[in-house]
Amino acid sequence: MANGRAHTWQDIHERIKRNIINLTWPPGELIPGEVELAQEYGCARTTVNRALRELAATGVVDRKRKAGTRVAKQKTRQVRAEIPVIRTQVEAQGAAYRFQLLENKIKQPSKAIAKTLNIKASEVALHIRSIHYADELPFIYEDRWINVKTIPKIKQVDLAQTSANEWLVQHVPFTSGEFVIQAQNTNKKLAMALGLSVDEAILTSTRTTWLESKSVTTVTLKYSPGYQMHFEI
Amino acid sequence: MANGRAHTWQDIHERIKRNIINLTWPPGELIPGEVELAQEYGCARTTVNRALRELAATGVVDRKRKAGTRVAKQKTRQVRAEIPVIRTQVEAQGAAYRFQLLENKIKQPSKAIAKTLNIKASEVALHIRSIHYADELPFIYEDRWINVKTIPKIKQVDLAQTSANEWLVQHVPFTSGEFVIQAQNTNKKLAMALGLSVDEAILTSTRTTWLESKSVTTVTLKYSPGYQMHFEI
DNA sequence: CATAATATTATGTGCATACATAATAAGAGT
DNA sequence: ACTCTTATTATGTATGCACATAATATTATG
């Protein structure tokens, strides 16, 4: 080794990151090329490439052919979270999980839902509403529409036994999706269902998933007040 | 090529993904080993490895040495979002950006803040409060504490000129951080400051960042009602 | 001087090979 | 059966090399 220690890509990654953190290479700075770094660290260019690729993936550096690699000016910061199945989430808190199916009916959706699922206004979809409990306390209110044309098999599933959430995650893959979070006030109906007072602030997430060009499902989850969603940076 | 078309890692990635999506390899299934796939696709094992590594990174497959690669069963779904600097976010909507500095004072923080920043209760920190406007409408209320022991330079910065948000992002790297989202009701003070009525539901994000073992800053942003945070899946 | 054609260059990728490592399976010994 | 030891194996990674590709720099051309 031309310069200390091991030369795994993780190690090279670590060293480069250190140079960025301690401002040896400040934001915007052009850092040495792969060949030079390989010489410096006494490893192959492939290894440096791997390290830099990972740094680029997490947004620490920007890379461009011919132009080289420079430290990102960090205009944006990426946050990430793993959204587990509701049951897992409840059980991870050490609470007992139970869910109650409020509705399970194939019917004509509202115009807004039809548009979201990209189906004709005259077509039908499966509407599911349920409440998920943690230790018998309402935890999440679920309002879901499933495109039965995309997932015809869903009609044979006993959704009182296995929650739609869980069944879909385990049986239906998707190719793309969107996830939106917002804060909403409880209305009278929801407050009643979850045992809350009216106008409490609750966190709402809406997820829509697609299998190639066909919509799979769109679901809105309303979390009980005080719920925190954690992300990593 | 032993089997059609090109053999870039993206191509192999695509093919394997297709086999997973069309349930040729259903969830939980053990998929062929790298060597076998390499033969099947007529490419080097390195290339298959790269493709599978990417699929593992996005949670589509689980890999274990000796055990092999299997299609992920409980797909805890990963969501990602890029959180831009507030000014960029406002300007991206085509709105004019302005911010107002309400407070900029070094003082003793509350016990909760001191704990978050991991400083002694007797120590001081820089407290900043400001409102960010989009086209003269209050968009975000910012409440920030900065660990001046970690970032002493901040004391020389004119934070009425450049927002703390922007200055920190451009000048201070961090090694780890946490990002928490929740829904809150507006209290009287906040409602007044943002021109809202009391008890409206607003989205709140709290971000705390660290430089190695030292805290950098903790900031709570309160978004105006109706704000939606979008994520990719 | 502006613009188009061409050369240069840093990153991006594919491949063959070798060896490392973690997880599992098989076997030895009790 | 049980535990401990020893193979076996699929993934993980490092390396050298060759060539591809996108950006940029340079030169040619009107």
Side-chain angles (χ1 to χ4, degrees):
Chain A
M1 287 155 254
N3 187 343
R5 306 231 305 285
H7 42 280
T8 64
W9 72 263
Q10 288 98 332
D11 190 64
I12 309 297
H13 179 275
E14 192 55 40
R15 292 194 196 189
I16 295 174
K17 199 173 167 189
R18 243 207 306 285
N19 277 333
I20 291 170
I21 286 166
N22 65 30
L23 302 179
T24 302
W25 298 323
E29 179 103 343
L30 187 69
I31 79 176
E34 295 182 350
V35 214
E36 195 176 334
L37 287 174
Q39 186 130 22
E40 156 100 20
Y41 295 132
C43 65
R45 182 171 81 89
T46 322
T47 310
V48 175
N49 181 278
R50 173 76 190 269
L52 287 173
R53 192 203 306 149
E54 301 282 334
L55 284 169
T58 53
V60 177
V61 299
D62 291 326
R63 318 195 71 198
K64 244 166 42 180
R65 282 173 175 166
K66 169 76 181 181
T69 304
R70 45 183 76 239
V71 181
K73 277 193 184 156
Q74 301 231 95
K75 313 169 281 294
T76 61
R77 309 192 145 167
Q78 205 188 50
V79 299
R80 276 173 288 109
E82 301 261 328
I83 310 289
V85 173
I86 298 173
R87 181 158 67 98
T88 310
Q89 200 172 353
V90 169
E91 288 171 349
Q93 306 168 23
Y97 174 71
R98 179 176 78 84
F99 81 95
Q100 185 192 357
L101 192 60
L102 304 179
E103 184 177 354
N104 178 15
K105 203 178 288 176
I106 292 186
K107 60 181 188 185
Q108 208 169 310
S110 70
K111 272 189 182 169
I113 296 290
K115 194 182 169 193
T116 302
L117 290 179
N118 196 28
I119 62 177
K120 293 195 191 83
S122 57
E123 284 181 291
V124 294
L126 177 57
H127 189 206
I128 287 168
R129 290 187 304 116
S130 48
I131 299 180
H132 301 261
Y133 295 86
D135 275 345
E136 298 304 321
L137 289 170
F139 177 54
I140 291 178
Y141 176 87
E142 174 186 11
D143 188 325
R144 181 188 293 273
W145 286 89
I146 299 173
N147 187 346
V148 287
K149 261 178 51 186
T150 309
I151 319 291
K153 263 197 297 184
I154 191 84
K155 286 184 282 192
Q156 270 89 273
V157 181
D158 180 8
L159 293 173
Q161 202 64 33
T162 312
S163 80
N165 176 263
E166 208 154 339
W167 190 87
L168 285 169
V169 164
Q170 282 174 11
H171 296 86
V172 183
F174 60 84
T175 49
S176 67
E178 195 198 21
F179 189 76
V180 179
I181 287 176
Q182 61 183 323
Q184 285 183 347
N185 286 106
T186 50
N187 59 26
K188 211 165 177 179
K189 194 177 151 194
L190 185 67
M192 203 105 106
L194 297 182
L196 305 172
S197 43
V198 179
D199 273 347
E200 285 202 71
I202 56 166
L203 194 65
T204 298
S205 79
T206 302
R207 171 170 49 213
T208 307
T209 53
W210 299 79
L211 183 54
E212 305 294 355
S213 63
K214 296 178 296 182
S215 65
V216 174
T217 184
T218 181
V219 55
T220 297
L221 301 182
K222 292 174 195 290
Y223 296 83
S224 57
Y227 178 75
Q228 298 187 333
M229 196 171 277
H230 287 256
F231 294 83
E232 282 174 26
I233 302 186
Chain B
M1 289 155 252
N3 187 343
R5 304 234 303 290
H7 44 280
T8 63
W9 73 262
Q10 287 97 334
D11 190 63
I12 309 297
H13 178 275
E14 192 56 40
R15 292 194 196 190
I16 295 173
K17 198 174 168 188
R18 241 205 307 286
N19 276 332
I20 291 170
I21 286 167
N22 65 28
L23 302 179
T24 303
W25 297 324
E29 179 101 342
L30 187 69
I31 80 175
E34 295 183 350
V35 215
E36 195 175 334
L37 287 173
Q39 186 130 20
E40 155 101 21
Y41 294 132
C43 65
R45 181 171 81 88
T46 324
T47 309
V48 175
N49 180 278
R50 174 76 190 269
L52 287 173
R53 191 203 306 151
E54 301 282 334
L55 285 169
T58 54
V60 177
V61 299
D62 291 325
R63 318 195 71 200
K64 246 167 37 180
R65 280 173 175 166
K66 167 78 180 181
T69 303
R70 46 183 76 239
V71 180
K73 210 170 193 172
Q74 50 77 284
K75 292 167 195 157
T76 87
R77 307 183 155 174
Q78 202 187 54
V79 299
R80 276 171 290 109
E82 301 262 327
I83 309 290
V85 173
I86 299 173
R87 180 156 69 98
T88 311
Q89 201 172 354
V90 169
E91 288 170 349
Q93 305 169 26
Y97 174 72
R98 179 175 77 83
F99 80 95
Q100 186 192 356
L101 191 59
L102 303 179
E103 184 178 353
N104 178 15
K105 202 179 290 177
I106 293 187
K107 60 183 187 183
Q108 209 169 309
S110 70
K111 272 189 183 169
I113 296 291
K115 194 182 169 191
T116 302
L117 290 179
N118 196 27
I119 61 177
K120 292 195 191 86
S122 57
E123 285 182 289
V124 293
L126 178 58
H127 190 206
I128 287 168
R129 290 187 305 115
S130 48
I131 299 180
H132 301 261
Y133 295 86
D135 277 344
E136 298 304 321
L137 289 170
F139 177 54
I140 291 178
Y141 176 86
E142 175 186 11
D143 189 325
R144 182 186 292 272
W145 287 89
I146 300 173
N147 187 346
V148 286
K149 260 177 54 187
T150 309
I151 318 291
K153 264 197 295 185
I154 192 83
K155 287 183 281 191
Q156 270 90 273
V157 181
D158 180 7
L159 293 172
Q161 202 64 33
T162 312
S163 80
N165 178 263
E166 209 154 337
W167 190 87
L168 285 168
V169 163
Q170 282 174 12
H171 295 87
V172 183
F174 60 84
T175 49
S176 67
E178 196 199 21
F179 188 75
V180 179
I181 287 176
Q182 60 184 325
Q184 286 184 345
N185 286 106
T186 49
N187 58 27
K188 211 166 178 178
K189 194 177 149 192
L190 184 67
M192 202 106 105
L194 296 182
L196 306 171
S197 43
V198 179
D199 273 347
E200 285 202 71
I202 56 167
L203 194 64
T204 298
S205 78
T206 302
R207 172 169 48 213
T208 307
T209 53
W210 299 78
L211 183 54
E212 305 293 357
S213 62
K214 294 178 296 180
S215 65
V216 174
T217 183
T218 181
V219 56
T220 298
L221 302 182
K222 292 172 194 291
Y223 296 83
S224 57
Y227 178 75
Q228 298 188 332
M229 196 173 277
H230 288 256
F231 295 83
E232 284 173 25
I233 301 184

